[in-house]
């Protein structure tokens, strides 16, 4: 395999593997050091300078109490206006610790135990565990073969969800995880029309929205006509690699403002004040850093296509329109329903197993693109060696570490 073309030189090229392995987060401590971790949603980047400065200043003045005020919501409104031509009302926001906690609280507000929640598999695995914990019924409206929303599947699921007379919700992943699909304005308008027609409440997870890549345009769901009774969850955590700094926002349409009042007050207090300061700084001052990151990701999604065409031509890959996730169809490789197991055990590359994403996930893996071009190239080399001779030749021949439940 030839050496990778150098990337644009943005955040993904600034840290060595040796430096990254000094980190103590989940990505770097779940597997032994001979494993390349391309699984969980952490990026191989340094902190954006404005974020680091905000954290340093907060610690220096001992500003580590409870969160207060609307600075985060106002910064998000300004960011949304600049990037998406849409300005949410900070008065219709609620602070939550993270997007999944916000989703759980909103589902408690708009549905009851036993009610149905529609999702679009293959989709983010914590949706399944959260719905199971809340005792909500999962109804699947699978994505089409083109990884796009299927209006007929949605309509059928919405009819089924409300057939018994109970309340129902739809958990929309936008942009979609794991496929990286960015939904169009027309697609989202269809969602809003169908949801209104069937009386289904929409909760939109837009955590990857700032990571829309060149050639696609993120459309905020609340900006679509007919979405006035929906709620959207947003955070800076994915775009600026702040998962360990817990803070997210729930944004309500004008007909859904009362739903925010049903979220317990302690939920907002559970967000980190220091995290709020960091997220606010990212939105206010982290634009240039984000632009450099997006250039890196644009390069990496194309690089991965080249690497796969050269070394693993039987893997089907549609470059993502958003996120830093690649959804790889490995069914032609003969590695079974869970090819991630072989890539980990033999190739020493950790990826997210496709079956965890629900129907349509068997035979697939989700690969995290947010690494250096060199790391990505080495990962594909190891994966190809796994398929070619079963030896992997890229790392230890010992047994793979147990894979975690959380993805």
């Amino acid at each position: 395999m030839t050496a990778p073309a150098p990337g644009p030189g943005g955040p993904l090229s600034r840290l060595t593997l040796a430096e990254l392995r000094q980190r103590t987060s989940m990505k770097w401590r779940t597997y032994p050091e001979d494993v390349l971790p391309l699984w969980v949603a952490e990026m191989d980047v340094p902190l954006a300078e404005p974020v680091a400065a905000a954290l340093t200043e907060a610690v220096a003045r001992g500003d580590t109490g409870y969160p207060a005020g609307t600075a985060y919501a106002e910064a998000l409104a300004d960011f949304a206006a600049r990037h998406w031509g849409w300005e949410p009302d900070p008065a219709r926001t609620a602070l939550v610790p993270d997007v999944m906690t916000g989703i759980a609280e909103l589902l408690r507000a708009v549905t009851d135990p036993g009610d149905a929640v529609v999702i679009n598999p293959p989709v983010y695995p914590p949706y399944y565990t959260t719905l199971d914990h809340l005792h909500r019924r999962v109804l699947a409206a699978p994505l089409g073969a083109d990884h796009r929303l299927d209006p007929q599947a949605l309509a059928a699921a919405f009819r089924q969800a409300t057939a018994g007379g109970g309340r129902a919700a739809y958990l929309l992943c936008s942009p979609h995880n794991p496929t990286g699909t960015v939904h169009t304005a027309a697609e989202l308008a269809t969602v809003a029309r169908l949801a209104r027609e069937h009386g289904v409440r929409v909760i939109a997870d837009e955590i990857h929205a700032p990571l829309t890549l060149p050639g696609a345009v993120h459309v905020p769901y609340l900006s679509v006509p007919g979405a006035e009774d929906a709620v959207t969850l947003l955070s800076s955590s994915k775009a600026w690699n702040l998962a360990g700094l817990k803070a997210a926002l729930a944004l309500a349409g004008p007909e859904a403002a009362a739903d925010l009042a049903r979220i317990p007050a302690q939920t907002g207090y559970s967000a980190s004040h220091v995290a709020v300061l960091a997220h606010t700084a990212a939105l206010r001052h982290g634009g240039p850093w984000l632009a450099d990151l997006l250039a890196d990701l644009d390069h990496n999604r194309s690089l991965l296509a080249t690497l796969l065409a050269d070394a693993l031509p039987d893997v089907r890959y549609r470059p993502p329109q958003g996120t830093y996730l690649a959804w790889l169809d490995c069914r032609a490789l003969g590695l079974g329903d869970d090819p991630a197991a072989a890539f980990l055990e033999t190739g020493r590359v950790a990826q997210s197993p496709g079956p965890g994403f629900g129907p349509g996930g068997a035979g697939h893996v989700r690969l995290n693109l947010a690494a250096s071009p060199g790391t990505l190239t080495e990962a594909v080399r190891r994966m190809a060696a796994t398929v070619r001779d079963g030896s992997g030749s890229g790392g230890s021949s010992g047994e793979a570490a147990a894979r975690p439940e959380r993805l």
Side-chain angles (χ1 to χ4, degrees):
M1 185 179 296
T2 58
L12 289 173
S13 298
R14 293 176 188 162
L15 297 174
T16 66
L17 269 176
E19 289 171 323
L20 289 163
R21 291 195 187 281
Q22 295 176 27
R23 294 182 171 181
T24 59
S25 63
M26 182 186 293
K27 179 175 185 177
W28 297 100
R29 287 295 181 265
T30 297
Y31 298 106
E33 285 198 0
D34 66 324
V35 172
L36 288 179
L38 300 180
W39 62 293
V40 75
E42 296 182 30
M43 298 191 291
D44 296 353
V45 294
L47 273 180
E49 292 81 359
V51 174
L55 292 171
T56 301
E57 291 166 9
V59 171
R61 62 178 177 260
D63 194 3
T64 54
Y66 291 104
T70 59
Y72 186 8
E74 292 164 3
L76 177 59
D78 289 346
F79 180 90
R82 293 194 307 272
H83 290 266
W84 307 321
W86 169 69
E87 188 170 356
D89 185 353
R92 290 200 302 271
T93 62
L95 182 65
V96 293
D98 54 49
V99 164
M100 284 309 305
T101 299
I103 286 172
E105 292 299 339
L106 285 164
L107 285 171
R108 289 189 179 98
V110 303
T111 62
D112 298 306
D115 286 341
V117 178
V118 177
I119 58 176
N120 303 119
V123 74
Y124 187 47
Y127 287 6
Y128 295 98
T129 53
T130 297
L131 293 175
D132 180 66
H133 179 74
L134 295 175
H135 305 292
R136 269 57 172 180
R137 291 185 295 121
V138 175
L139 288 182
L143 298 179
D146 57 357
H147 295 174
R148 306 211 71 87
L149 298 174
D150 182 340
Q152 293 183 332
L154 273 177
F158 287 176
R159 282 194 297 270
Q160 184 179 355
T162 55
R167 300 195 291 175
Y170 169 43
L171 187 47
L172 170 68
C173 192
S174 178
H176 194 84
N177 176 358
T179 63
T181 304
V182 173
H183 308 306
T184 67
E187 289 169 331
L188 295 176
T190 298
V191 167
R193 176 180 59 80
L194 291 172
R196 286 280 185 175
E197 179 180 328
H198 295 280
V200 173
R201 297 295 301 280
V202 178
I203 299 173
D205 171 359
E206 297 187 357
I207 195 169
H208 285 280
L211 293 169
T212 301
L213 299 173
V217 177
H218 173 69
V219 178
Y221 183 70
L222 290 181
S223 71
V224 174
E228 291 81 8
D229 64 344
V231 181
T232 288
L233 279 299
L234 280 158
S235 173
S236 313
S237 65
K238 290 294 185 286
W240 283 273
N241 207 43
L242 305 178
L245 293 167
K246 294 290 188 179
L249 290 167
L251 294 78
E255 296 175 20
D259 295 323
L260 299 185
R262 299 188 180 97
I263 298 176
Q266 62 267 26
T267 301
Y269 301 149
S270 297
S272 163
H273 175 52
V274 174
V276 168
L277 298 175
H279 287 242
T280 302
L283 292 165
R284 287 285 186 203
H285 309 296
W289 186 94
L290 178 62
D292 289 344
L293 171 68
L294 293 176
D296 280 352
L297 294 175
D298 187 26
H299 174 269
N300 277 6
R301 64 173 172 171
S302 297
L303 172 63
L304 181 59
T306 299
L307 295 171
L308 292 173
D310 177 45
L312 287 169
D314 290 331
V315 172
R316 298 179 62 187
Y317 161 61
R318 181 180 283 106
Q321 297 176 303
T323 79
Y324 45 75
L325 308 170
W327 185 237
L328 306 184
D329 182 347
C330 303
R331 287 176 290 182
L333 300 181
L335 298 178
D337 286 349
D338 185 9
F343 290 138
L344 175 60
E345 182 172 0
T346 304
R348 312 306 282 165
V349 179
Q351 299 167 89
S352 298
F357 294 82
H364 292 69
V365 299
R366 190 192 73 179
L367 181 148
N368 184 337
L369 285 169
S372 71
T375 296
L376 202 57
T377 300
E378 172 63 10
V380 174
R381 185 194 72 78
R382 294 186 185 193
M383 292 164 65
T386 300
V387 174
R388 183 178 63 250
D389 56 27
S391 70
S393 72
S396 167
S397 59
E399 291 187 8
R403 286 176 299 158
E405 293 290 330
R406 288 191 289 166
L407 302 176

